[in-house]
Amino acid sequence: MTSTSTPSPSAADADGTAGADVIAAEAVVQLTPRQTIQAISGLMMGMFVAILAGTVVSTALPRIIHDLGASQSSYTWVITLELLTMTATVPLWGKLADLYNNKLLVQLSLGFFVVGSVVAGLTPNIEVLLGSRVLQGLGAGGLTALVQIVMAAIIPPRELGRYSGIFGAIFASATVGGPLLGGFLVDSPLGWRACFLVGVPFVLAAIVLLQRTLKLPTVRREVKIDWWGAFLITGGVSTLLVWSSFAGSKFDWASGWSFLLVAVALAALVAAVLVERRHPEPIIPMDLFRNRTVTLSIIASALVGVAMFGGSVFLAQYFQIAQGYSPTKAGLMSLPMILGMMVASTIAGGLITKYGKWKIYLVIGSILLPIGLALFGTIDAHTSKYLLWAFMIVLGVGIGLVMQNLVLAAQNDVPARELGAATSSVSFFRSMGGTIGVSVLGAILANKVTETLNPGGASSGGSSAVPNIAELPPEARAVVENAYGAATADLFMMSVPFAVLAMIAVFFIKEKALLTTSGAERRAQEEADKLEA
């Protein structure tokens, strides 16, 4: 797949620095489709298991929270902690991908995922479960950044559509299979702990398979790691996300704690920008934001994250509590949305590869997103399942057309040396938007449910335990179902404005012809040009 070229130890950069800063890249040959699939086979397995692990838990969470005696706010935190850790570390993984061997980094991220999954499966209480979600978030952050970076390294943008279709099928099958498997395990004698442990053997197999099949060209050079930038970005984002999680539940939005946390977060992020502008190897290069396509893709991704994660993450809870489905049936209820995502991403990917046009799919998807969210804003505890399925198809098609193509647009418009930073930045802001959406809307849901079930009582933001609907008497059950149905509808309606803003950002993205060379080929050429300068 690759052959190593000999570095020139005396070469100098244009600015006169030593050639040690740029050591020769490995030459790259064009891969056949079969060779490409073999090269990313372990990557596909790792992604499948990682997605499966997340979707398995989504159906099992109401039972997990009930069995561990935790609260509605804990329900949100089980989701938020993984998203928070993933969000904060995505740009770090992306920068590491520009500096070190990507295969090793993927294996490391899978290793974090294995450890987190084992700890979660053996957890004795909610506190240990939350700690395990941090480890899983580290692994998820790596996969979120690295999978798309590796694909861009070995596959030209023009050909990415074809392989995005394969990944779309994997994503859909894992997302479809997860809730079904999770519901089955929760209802079986194995119980919900098996949801965390079932994927561990497959992740270990993926690590081995990656070692055997994935070979990537590596650029070896002297590097300066931006530790201060990493610390300030991680600290600022984490503080912001902690504030968005606690505000409105642990303390008021307009309170001393709110002002303090926001001030600390903004100070850290402003300091991070100053550091990033001066460091030779910034975690998030500020030059990226001079690129119109990248900037608009980042803005749209952040807004899509709020709209997509903020509402849909609570659907499994809605199906089980508001509509009274078992975990297994709740998993089945999500099939139409996943099928919409799969069909849309697969068909659009094939058409992008065939015709080279991509913006039309972004536009269509960005129009469908607010429509789907608004439709869900009309639901209640008694909404027909057929209407719910229709709404999910609309939302699923919108997500399938938008999510991956925003990354493609950014990857196609940056130099190969910035592929990792650009890819991880788009993913980072989408994850940050999603985490804020889950945190804020989750706190709002907890408050609305508490106020409905305990009018005039203490509004502790979800201090009430999540109920097991099957154990409630008929009158109490009806009240709880209506409370969760109305609150879930409100969350979706609150997500609509964010989706509309994302649509506006997409409209202003300028379409650029897709490149026909892979990231690795472009990187090798850039390094060669730099040596000749």
Side-chain angles (χ1 to χ4, degrees), residues 83 303-315 373 433-442 445 488 491-492 495:
L83 283 174
L303 294 167
V304 167
V306 175
M308 181 177 64
F309 290 107
S312 60
V313 76
F314 297 102
L315 271 179
L373 291 168
T435 307
I436 291 174
V438 169
S439 301
V440 174
L441 297 181
L445 182 144
T488 304
L491 298 191
F492 278 104
S495 301

Short mmCIF file of all heavy atoms in Angstrom, two decimals, residues 83 303-315 373 433-442 445 488 491-492 495:
data_model
loop_
_atom_site.label_atom_id
_atom_site.label_comp_id
_atom_site.label_asym_id
_atom_site.label_seq_id
_atom_site.Cartn_x
_atom_site.Cartn_y
_atom_site.Cartn_z
N LEU A 83 -20.99 12.64 26.37
CA LEU A 83 -20.94 13.68 25.35
C LEU A 83 -19.97 14.79 25.72
O LEU A 83 -19.23 15.30 24.86
CB LEU A 83 -22.34 14.26 25.15
CG LEU A 83 -23.34 13.43 24.35
CD1 LEU A 83 -24.72 14.08 24.38
CD2 LEU A 83 -22.88 13.23 22.92
N LEU A 303 -25.37 23.95 15.44
CA LEU A 303 -26.82 24.12 15.52
C LEU A 303 -27.56 22.82 15.27
O LEU A 303 -28.56 22.51 15.93
CB LEU A 303 -27.26 25.19 14.51
CG LEU A 303 -26.75 26.61 14.80
CD1 LEU A 303 -26.97 27.51 13.61
CD2 LEU A 303 -27.45 27.17 16.04
N VAL A 304 -27.07 22.01 14.32
CA VAL A 304 -27.67 20.70 14.07
C VAL A 304 -27.52 19.82 15.31
O VAL A 304 -28.41 19.06 15.66
CB VAL A 304 -27.03 20.03 12.84
CG1 VAL A 304 -27.40 18.55 12.77
CG2 VAL A 304 -27.48 20.72 11.57
N GLY A 305 -26.35 19.94 15.99
CA GLY A 305 -26.14 19.16 17.20
C GLY A 305 -27.18 19.47 18.26
O GLY A 305 -27.75 18.57 18.88
N VAL A 306 -27.46 20.76 18.46
CA VAL A 306 -28.49 21.15 19.43
C VAL A 306 -29.84 20.57 19.03
O VAL A 306 -30.55 19.96 19.83
CB VAL A 306 -28.59 22.69 19.54
CG1 VAL A 306 -29.75 23.08 20.45
CG2 VAL A 306 -27.29 23.27 20.08
N ALA A 307 -30.20 20.75 17.76
CA ALA A 307 -31.51 20.31 17.29
C ALA A 307 -31.64 18.79 17.29
O ALA A 307 -32.67 18.25 17.70
CB ALA A 307 -31.74 20.86 15.88
N MET A 308 -30.59 18.12 16.86
CA MET A 308 -30.67 16.67 16.68
C MET A 308 -30.60 15.93 18.01
O MET A 308 -31.48 15.13 18.34
CB MET A 308 -29.54 16.21 15.76
CG MET A 308 -29.52 14.72 15.48
SD MET A 308 -28.21 14.30 14.32
CE MET A 308 -26.74 14.74 15.24
N PHE A 309 -29.55 16.21 18.80
CA PHE A 309 -29.37 15.49 20.05
C PHE A 309 -30.35 15.97 21.12
O PHE A 309 -30.83 15.18 21.92
CB PHE A 309 -27.94 15.66 20.56
CG PHE A 309 -26.91 14.95 19.74
CD1 PHE A 309 -26.06 15.67 18.93
CD2 PHE A 309 -26.79 13.59 19.78
CE1 PHE A 309 -25.10 15.03 18.16
CE2 PHE A 309 -25.84 12.93 19.02
CZ PHE A 309 -24.99 13.66 18.20
N GLY A 310 -30.60 17.28 21.12
CA GLY A 310 -31.39 17.86 22.19
C GLY A 310 -32.76 17.25 22.33
O GLY A 310 -33.28 17.08 23.43
N GLY A 311 -33.41 16.92 21.22
CA GLY A 311 -34.73 16.33 21.29
C GLY A 311 -34.74 14.83 21.18
O GLY A 311 -35.32 14.12 22.01
N SER A 312 -34.02 14.30 20.16
CA SER A 312 -34.16 12.87 19.84
C SER A 312 -33.60 11.95 20.91
O SER A 312 -34.01 10.80 21.02
CB SER A 312 -33.47 12.58 18.50
OG SER A 312 -32.10 12.89 18.55
N VAL A 313 -32.64 12.45 21.74
CA VAL A 313 -32.04 11.58 22.75
C VAL A 313 -33.07 11.15 23.80
O VAL A 313 -32.90 10.12 24.46
CB VAL A 313 -30.84 12.29 23.41
CG1 VAL A 313 -31.31 13.35 24.39
CG2 VAL A 313 -29.92 11.29 24.11
N PHE A 314 -34.15 11.92 23.92
CA PHE A 314 -35.16 11.58 24.92
C PHE A 314 -36.33 10.77 24.35
O PHE A 314 -37.30 10.50 25.05
CB PHE A 314 -35.70 12.87 25.57
CG PHE A 314 -34.64 13.63 26.33
CD1 PHE A 314 -34.05 14.75 25.78
CD2 PHE A 314 -34.23 13.20 27.58
CE1 PHE A 314 -33.07 15.45 26.47
CE2 PHE A 314 -33.25 13.88 28.27
CZ PHE A 314 -32.66 15.01 27.71
N LEU A 315 -36.21 10.37 23.07
CA LEU A 315 -37.30 9.59 22.47
C LEU A 315 -37.49 8.24 23.14
O LEU A 315 -38.63 7.80 23.34
CB LEU A 315 -37.05 9.40 20.97
CG LEU A 315 -37.60 10.48 20.04
CD1 LEU A 315 -37.25 10.15 18.60
CD2 LEU A 315 -39.10 10.64 20.21
N LEU A 373 -38.64 18.29 13.37
CA LEU A 373 -38.67 18.68 14.78
C LEU A 373 -40.00 19.34 15.13
O LEU A 373 -40.56 19.09 16.21
CB LEU A 373 -37.51 19.62 15.08
CG LEU A 373 -36.11 19.00 15.03
CD1 LEU A 373 -35.04 20.08 15.05
CD2 LEU A 373 -35.90 18.02 16.18
N GLY A 433 -22.64 21.34 20.55
CA GLY A 433 -24.03 21.72 20.43
C GLY A 433 -24.96 20.66 20.97
O GLY A 433 -25.94 20.96 21.67
N GLY A 434 -24.64 19.39 20.65
CA GLY A 434 -25.46 18.29 21.15
C GLY A 434 -25.42 18.17 22.66
O GLY A 434 -26.46 17.93 23.31
N THR A 435 -24.24 18.34 23.23
CA THR A 435 -24.11 18.25 24.69
C THR A 435 -24.87 19.36 25.38
O THR A 435 -25.57 19.13 26.38
CB THR A 435 -22.62 18.30 25.09
OG1 THR A 435 -21.90 17.31 24.36
CG2 THR A 435 -22.46 18.03 26.57
N ILE A 436 -24.75 20.58 24.87
CA ILE A 436 -25.50 21.69 25.44
C ILE A 436 -27.00 21.44 25.29
O ILE A 436 -27.79 21.69 26.21
CB ILE A 436 -25.09 23.02 24.77
CG1 ILE A 436 -23.66 23.37 25.17
CG2 ILE A 436 -26.04 24.14 25.17
CD1 ILE A 436 -23.10 24.59 24.45
N GLY A 437 -27.40 20.92 24.11
CA GLY A 437 -28.81 20.62 23.89
C GLY A 437 -29.34 19.60 24.87
O GLY A 437 -30.41 19.79 25.47
N VAL A 438 -28.60 18.51 25.05
CA VAL A 438 -29.02 17.48 25.99
C VAL A 438 -29.07 18.03 27.40
O VAL A 438 -30.02 17.77 28.16
CB VAL A 438 -28.07 16.26 25.92
CG1 VAL A 438 -28.34 15.30 27.07
CG2 VAL A 438 -28.24 15.53 24.60
N SER A 439 -28.05 18.81 27.78
CA SER A 439 -27.98 19.33 29.15
C SER A 439 -29.12 20.30 29.44
O SER A 439 -29.85 20.15 30.42
CB SER A 439 -26.63 20.02 29.37
OG SER A 439 -25.57 19.13 29.15
N VAL A 440 -29.26 21.30 28.56
CA VAL A 440 -30.26 22.34 28.80
C VAL A 440 -31.67 21.77 28.68
O VAL A 440 -32.52 21.96 29.57
CB VAL A 440 -30.06 23.51 27.83
CG1 VAL A 440 -31.19 24.52 27.97
CG2 VAL A 440 -28.71 24.18 28.07
N LEU A 441 -31.94 21.08 27.58
CA LEU A 441 -33.28 20.55 27.39
C LEU A 441 -33.61 19.45 28.39
O LEU A 441 -34.77 19.29 28.80
CB LEU A 441 -33.45 20.05 25.95
CG LEU A 441 -33.29 21.13 24.88
CD1 LEU A 441 -33.49 20.53 23.48
CD2 LEU A 441 -34.27 22.27 25.10
N GLY A 442 -32.58 18.68 28.80
CA GLY A 442 -32.82 17.67 29.83
C GLY A 442 -33.21 18.31 31.16
O GLY A 442 -34.09 17.82 31.87
N LEU A 445 -36.76 19.49 30.78
CA LEU A 445 -37.69 18.36 30.88
C LEU A 445 -37.89 17.96 32.33
O LEU A 445 -39.01 17.73 32.78
CB LEU A 445 -37.18 17.18 30.05
CG LEU A 445 -38.09 15.94 30.02
CD1 LEU A 445 -38.05 15.27 28.65
CD2 LEU A 445 -37.69 14.91 31.08
N THR A 488 -41.81 16.27 26.51
CA THR A 488 -41.01 15.86 25.35
C THR A 488 -41.37 16.68 24.12
O THR A 488 -40.49 17.10 23.36
CB THR A 488 -41.20 14.36 25.06
OG1 THR A 488 -40.88 13.61 26.24
CG2 THR A 488 -40.30 13.91 23.93
N LEU A 491 -39.68 20.01 24.23
CA LEU A 491 -38.25 19.95 23.90
C LEU A 491 -38.03 20.02 22.40
O LEU A 491 -37.13 20.71 21.91
CB LEU A 491 -37.62 18.68 24.46
CG LEU A 491 -37.62 18.47 25.97
CD1 LEU A 491 -36.72 17.30 26.34
CD2 LEU A 491 -37.16 19.72 26.69
N PHE A 492 -38.83 19.26 21.66
CA PHE A 492 -38.68 19.28 20.21
C PHE A 492 -39.00 20.65 19.64
O PHE A 492 -38.31 21.15 18.74
CB PHE A 492 -39.58 18.22 19.57
CG PHE A 492 -38.98 16.85 19.59
CD1 PHE A 492 -39.42 15.89 20.50
CD2 PHE A 492 -37.97 16.50 18.71
CE1 PHE A 492 -38.87 14.62 20.52
CE2 PHE A 492 -37.41 15.24 18.72
CZ PHE A 492 -37.86 14.29 19.63
N SER A 495 -36.26 23.01 19.90
CA SER A 495 -35.13 22.71 19.02
C SER A 495 -35.31 23.30 17.63
O SER A 495 -34.33 23.43 16.88
CB SER A 495 -34.95 21.19 18.91
OG SER A 495 -34.72 20.60 20.17
#
